[in-house]
Amino acid sequence: MTLATVHSRALLGLQAPEVTVEVHLANGLPSFTLVGLADTEVKESRERVRAAVLNSGLTFPHDKRITVNLGPADLPKEGCRFDLPIALGILAASGQIDASRLDRHEFAGELSLAGDLRPVHGALAMALAMRRAPTGRCLVLPEASAQEAARVPDLPLRCARHLLDVVAALRDEDDAPPLAEPPAPIPQPPPRWPDLVDVRGQVGARRALEIAAAGAHSLLFVGPPGTGKSMLAQRLTGLLPPMTEDEALESAAVLSLAGPFDASRWSQRTVRSPHHSASSVALVGGGSPPRPGEVSLAHHGVLFMDELPEFPRAALEALREPLENGRITISRAARQAEFPARCLLVAAMNPCPCGHLGAIRPACRCTPEQVRRYQGRISGPLLDRIDLRVEVLALAPQALSGRRDGEDSTTVAARVAVARQRQLDRQGCTNAVVDAGRLDDVVQLQDGAREFLDGAASRLGWSGRSLHRVLRVARTLADLDDTDAITLGHVAEAIQLRRGLPGA
């Protein structure tokens, strides 16, 4: 047989479209041609495959004209995942393995020059694609990648460590040894997050953390340096409820696109803290081929942006779309990729360049124009998308050196879990992402609460987005109080939590 077909998958964002690897051996001038819109890494597989086949003690058809086609031809192919399918196609076309058995499997894996199988990026994305659109085929991956893919339930999956392991299972023999199943995932202990009880004072900021965790609301801390803004933000993750299986799979799938997924961090909410020198590409993704940025890597987790005004203006403005839609689309000349970006944004900033605006000691040295320019680095449209804005003021030394005076994370997290479950039972999502068309069904304002809200919106000149976000926060406050009706107190607290920047 001189023609063989092997099934594999490419990566296009979180999508994993099917790729057919066709290998044809013909007489003529010896050559090895690879076609099908292949990237440089894919074209380099010719040398890796040749060395791996020979060093594994198999026969490479040096005297043949080898043509490898990766179809569909208009789909970009990148990475080293096609090493194993190409090698198997050559071996099947040259009659060294049973070509009829290839159709029952899908293969992906990088080959070393000695024939060892190395892990590839996006194993979870491939597994999720096969679960969404079942093909009846079994996915074969290197052992490390198979441990990632094994998190997807009810997926036919096998693993191998060497090219010879796959060859032995595909030989035309009745007693061919089967491919090994991936090792069972090792249960991991729950993570130990910093405890909220370590924070002294700051009652308003602690309350804002609880509200943000309960309704998945974005949060901005504003205050002088050293008042505990970063300390508070680091304790938000410990208040969030455990991830569901679907959330854990989606989060791990995005992380696996950026590199091998750490199995010990399975079902743990990701915390990303980019430096303020990060570019817009680093934050929202980009490159060629498109890669996920920090806002996508924090999917179902926390994105903490310290020193918010110090980020480049273009990087901050690029956050507006993912904060609103929970997704980011990266468009390039050759391709387009879409990544999920449903993260909980927590930001911190100083109120002015010197950081002491509103403090008694030391006094602020900034002029009103300097304060205006500094706060103007955060545009109105971006600030409009942040639900909670809390001022964190300096505490007296006696409060800092005194005894602990607040609840621990376990107590607060229990209330958050109950409130979050109320939301999921009622509308199937958190309050922060309720569609505007469903707000009338979800939000039930008591008498007087709507008039108070309308009056505040008129006086403060709110946009329609601001009004809707205050309603969502009020809905979360009612859920924390375990009540269906939204009272005047809930609305008043939600309005108070949407204050402007100090001195503005």
Side-chain angles (χ1 to χ4, degrees):
M1 184 176 183
T2 60
L3 178 64
T5 301
V6 186
H7 300 282
S8 186
R9 289 186 179 267
L11 282 181
L12 190 61
L14 262 186
Q15 307 300 316
E18 289 189 48
V19 171
T20 301
V21 181
E22 299 172 312
V23 180
H24 180 246
L25 303 185
N27 295 325
L29 188 65
S31 63
F32 194 158
T33 306
L34 200 153
V35 297
L37 206 56
D39 198 3
T40 302
E41 291 174 308
V42 181
K43 293 180 179 179
E44 290 174 347
S45 66
R46 293 175 296 188
E47 307 307 321
R48 291 192 295 270
V49 167
R50 189 194 312 270
V53 170
L54 292 174
N55 289 325
S56 299
L58 303 168
T59 302
F60 190 86
H62 291 286
D63 57 342
K64 297 292 184 180
R65 180 181 177 87
I66 306 173
T67 304
V68 178
N69 177 47
L70 305 177
D74 60 345
L75 177 69
K77 324 294 188 310
E78 54 89 15
C80 305
R81 69 189 65 256
F82 300 107
D83 288 5
L84 179 59
I86 291 173
L88 295 176
I90 292 174
L91 295 174
S94 59
Q96 300 180 63
I97 60 176
D98 186 0
S100 63
R101 298 192 180 189
L102 292 175
D103 195 52
R104 311 172 197 166
H105 303 82
E106 292 188 13
F107 300 91
E110 178 185 348
L111 285 173
S112 73
L113 299 185
D116 297 304
L117 288 177
R118 292 173 174 168
V120 294
H121 297 333
L124 268 171
M126 290 187 285
L128 287 173
M130 292 185 66
R131 189 179 74 164
R132 288 192 296 265
T135 61
R137 292 190 286 263
C138 177
L139 181 61
V140 180
L141 295 171
E143 188 175 53
S145 298
Q147 291 180 358
E148 295 180 24
R151 299 288 184 175
V152 179
D154 303 324
L155 177 71
L157 180 66
R158 294 292 183 271
C159 66
R161 296 183 177 180
H162 197 277
L163 175 62
L164 288 177
D165 297 337
V166 184
V167 170
L170 297 176
R171 287 192 185 277
D172 188 11
E173 300 172 358
D174 294 335
D175 58 345
L179 288 166
E181 295 186 4
I186 302 175
Q188 300 294 329
R192 295 179 59 87
W193 302 108
D195 201 304
L196 191 61
V197 75
D198 299 330
V199 179
R200 311 294 173 89
Q202 304 298 2
V203 177
R206 293 163 60 100
R207 171 68 169 170
L209 278 180
E210 181 177 349
I211 298 168
H217 300 287
S218 51
L219 172 63
L220 172 63
F221 288 126
V222 185
T227 54
K229 301 185 296 295
S230 300
M231 185 178 184
L232 285 160
Q234 291 166 359
R235 280 147 179 79
L236 175 59
T237 314
L239 307 182
L240 297 173
M243 300 178 75
T244 64
E245 185 180 56
D246 288 341
E247 289 177 341
L249 285 172
E250 291 178 5
S251 173
V254 176
L255 293 172
S256 72
L257 297 179
F261 175 71
D262 184 2
S264 64
R265 298 194 59 81
W266 169 256
S267 196
Q268 295 184 19
R269 295 192 183 272
T270 306
V271 180
R272 306 291 296 191
S273 304
H275 190 261
H276 60 255
S277 62
S279 65
S280 58
V281 172
L283 279 181
V284 301
S288 184
R291 299 289 186 185
E294 295 290 335
V295 70
S296 295
L297 296 175
H299 185 51
H300 292 311
V302 174
L303 176 65
F304 176 47
M305 299 181 66
D306 202 3
E307 306 295 345
L308 188 66
E310 304 299 333
F311 282 82
R313 180 64 176 260
L316 292 178
E317 295 306 302
L319 289 174
R320 286 157 57 174
E321 178 189 350
L323 286 180
E324 187 75 16
N325 303 326
R327 306 194 71 81
I328 180 70
T329 301
I330 308 298
S331 297
R332 295 294 179 263
R335 68 187 75 178
Q336 186 181 78
E338 186 178 75
F339 299 102
R342 187 66 71 189
C343 65
L344 203 168
L345 173 67
V346 184
M349 61 175 286
N350 297 325
C352 65
C354 76
H356 298 292
L357 179 66
I360 300 177
R361 187 178 302 167
C364 176
R365 305 185 303 271
C366 304
T367 66
E369 179 61 20
Q370 288 176 320
V371 174
R372 185 189 66 79
R373 285 201 305 267
Y374 183 78
Q375 295 184 357
R377 296 178 184 178
I378 304 173
S379 68
L382 176 61
L383 195 62
D384 204 34
R385 288 168 165 81
I386 299 179
D387 297 340
L388 310 175
R389 308 165 195 166
V390 180
E391 193 170 2
V392 184
L393 300 177
L395 298 177
Q398 294 82 356
L400 294 174
S401 61
R403 301 181 63 181
R404 295 176 176 177
D405 56 356
E407 297 175 307
D408 58 12
S409 293
T410 303
T411 304
V412 178
R415 291 198 300 268
V416 168
V418 173
R420 182 73 70 94
Q421 191 59 48
R422 281 178 57 91
Q423 300 165 41
L424 297 179
D425 293 340
R426 182 177 58 242
Q427 71 249 7
C429 62
T430 58
N431 290 330
V433 298
V434 174
D435 187 77
R438 301 180 58 192
L439 275 179
D440 289 340
D441 300 328
V442 173
V443 176
Q444 303 172 13
L445 294 175
Q446 284 188 345
D447 295 340
R450 186 172 297 278
E451 290 77 9
F452 182 77
L453 177 62
D454 292 342
S458 299
R459 290 193 305 272
L460 299 173
W462 282 347
S463 66
R465 179 189 292 113
S466 295
L467 181 62
H468 285 169
R469 289 184 178 270
V470 168
L471 285 173
R472 294 184 177 101
V473 173
R475 176 68 268 174
T476 300
L477 292 169
D479 289 332
L480 285 170
D481 289 342
D482 198 16
T483 178
D484 292 330
I486 298 176
T487 65
L488 179 62
H490 296 143
V491 172
E493 185 175 1
I495 294 173
Q496 180 68 17
L497 288 168
R498 197 173 179 80
R499 66 181 67 185
L501 296 179

